[in-house]
Amino acid sequence: VQPLEESGGGSVQTGGSLRLSCVASEGSRHIYGWFRQAPGTGRKAVALFSISDNGTYYDPAVKGRFTISRDPARNTVFLQMNNLQAGDSGMYYCASGYTWSLLTSAFDYWGQGTQVTVSS
């Protein structure tokens, strides 16, 4: 069993929606995040969720279109992505850690990623 396991990626047209899921089995972590990596670039934080106060962070490019949430009963973190654009394409990774940070180094566990492709 992987500590974090993502699902829900796929190919959609511009304006479409996808919901990513991340099932966590790594024990208690305080912060969960979704990161996107486009070809030739590093991983960038798209959204963060704090389980202590349900606080959230969104990259300005996705704010208003993406929603991060958590179902504690299912140990699952979601990323609802609406009105998807070509720039949203990439590999999406779920990550968990103890520190509220946009840096990948702050996260202890990573999933294997799920691909999102948005085309016109």
Side-chain angles (χ1 to χ4, degrees):
V1 178
Q2 296 293 327
L4 297 173
E5 192 158 353
E6 306 98 333
S7 63
S11 296
V12 296
Q13 291 188 325
T14 301
S17 298
L18 286 172
R19 187 174 83 154
L20 306 183
S21 299
C22 172
V23 179
S25 58
E26 85 291 27
S28 61
R29 290 294 184 273
H30 297 175
I31 310 298
Y32 287 86
W34 285 98
F35 289 73
R36 178 178 66 234
Q37 185 169 22
T41 70
R43 296 182 188 182
K44 180 179 181 180
V46 172
L48 302 181
F49 184 90
S50 170
I51 66 171
S52 62
D53 61 2
N54 291 336
T56 58
Y57 160 84
Y58 296 97
D59 180 86
V62 308
K63 196 168 186 177
R65 300 187 295 120
F66 290 13
T67 303
I68 188 170
S69 62
R70 176 177 174 261
D71 181 345
R74 296 162 60 187
N75 291 326
T76 302
V77 178
F78 302 98
L79 184 67
Q80 177 67 45
M81 305 186 295
N82 297 329
N83 190 20
L84 283 160
Q85 305 297 314
D88 299 321
S89 295
M91 186 71 79
Y92 282 71
Y93 296 90
C94 177
S96 66
Y98 290 109
T99 304
W100 186 261
S101 172
L102 303 181
L103 300 177
T104 56
S105 58
F107 291 81
D108 304 314
Y109 288 100
W110 292 84
Q112 293 185 323
T114 185
Q115 179 69 38
V116 171
T117 303
V118 185
S119 58
S120 57

